[in-house]
Amino acid sequence: EDKVVQSPLSLVVHEGDTVTLNCSYEVTNFRSLLWYKQEKKAPTFLFMLTSSGIEKKSGRLSSILDKKELSSILNITATQTGDSAIYLCAVGTHTGNQFYFGTGTSLTVIP
Amino acid sequence: DAGVTQSPTHLIKTRGQQVTLRCSPISGHKSVSWYQQVLGQGPQFIFQYYEKEERGRGNFPDRFSARQFPNYSSELNVNALLLGDSALYLCASSSGTSGGAAGETQYFGPGTRLLVL
C-alpha cells in the first residue's frame, strides 16, 4: 500500500529558529514529491522534486529529495510568525494520476 | 486571473441526503482533481478529470461521483451522506493530463467545508 509519512506531527519554535520537516514515502513507481503550505484552506505550492531536480531553494525555504532513503526534508531558516501553517508532503507516481499526501506537520512560530 | 474557485464555501446536510459541490479551474487548465481532507489529516485523492474524461479514481465508495463539463468546470456528487463524509473538499486544477503528478503545478481552490449531521 502506498503511503507517505511526515514527522514531526507538530512543532513549536521561536522566531529566528531553523526547522527541519521530514517526509518519507513508500510508493510504487515514484514520479515526484511536492511540498505544500496550508494556512487556512487551500494548500499553496512550495516545491516539486523529481529525479532530475532533487534540491530546490526559495528564500528561507529549501528542500532536498533523497531517493535512496525514500525521503525528503523541508528546511526553513530564520522562521517568522508568518511561517505558522501546516506543511504537507505529497508524492506522485507513474501509475495513476494522483498524489498521496502525508498527514502534515503543524508548525507554530512564537514571536 | 482568477484562481480556482469552489462553491459553496460551507454546507450543512443531514445523513442520507445528497450534495453537489462545484469547481471552476484556472482559465486554460483542463485537468481537475478532487480531494477530501478530514480534520487533522492530509488530503485524500477522490477523482481526476482531464478533457471531460475520468483519468484517476481513489479508494472511495460509489456514493462519490464526479463529472467535468465542456468548459472544464467540474462537479462532485456525494449520495447517501454519512457522518464520516464531513470534511473539507478541495478541488485542484493543472494544465497537464496527469493532474500534476507529471510535473505541472497543481493549484488548489479554497475548498468547501461540508458538515453532515
Side-chain angles (χ1 to χ4, degrees), chain A residues 25-91:
Chain A
Y25 59 90
E26 291 179 29
V27 299
T28 306
N29 290 325
F30 170 87
R31 176 184 263 174
S32 60
L33 186 146
L34 284 75
W35 285 96
Y36 286 88
K37 177 182 182 182
Q38 186 173 29
E39 290 179 84
K40 288 185 179 177
K41 285 190 174 180
T44 54
F45 174 79
L46 294 175
F47 297 118
M48 184 180 67
L49 303 160
T50 66
S51 299
S52 57
I54 62 172
E55 188 167 353
K56 294 287 176 71
K57 183 176 171 62
S58 175
R60 297 178 295 104
L61 278 66
S62 62
S63 184
I64 297 173
L65 174 67
D66 187 336
K67 285 206 70 182
K68 183 178 178 183
E69 296 297 325
L70 306 184
S71 65
S72 173
I73 60 170
L74 175 68
N75 279 316
I76 307 175
T77 60
T79 52
Q80 303 170 357
T81 55
D83 295 327
S84 296
I86 295 173
Y87 290 83
L88 295 166
C89 171
V91 173

Side-chain angles (χ1 to χ4, degrees), chain B residues 31-52:
Chain B
S31 174
V32 169
S33 297
W34 286 96
Y35 291 84
Q36 180 196 64
Q37 187 175 22
V38 173
L39 197 62
Q41 300 292 319
Q44 275 204 300
F45 173 77
I46 310 175
F47 288 110
Q48 190 241 337
Y49 276 79
Y50 178 78
E51 289 276 16
K52 295 171 287 180

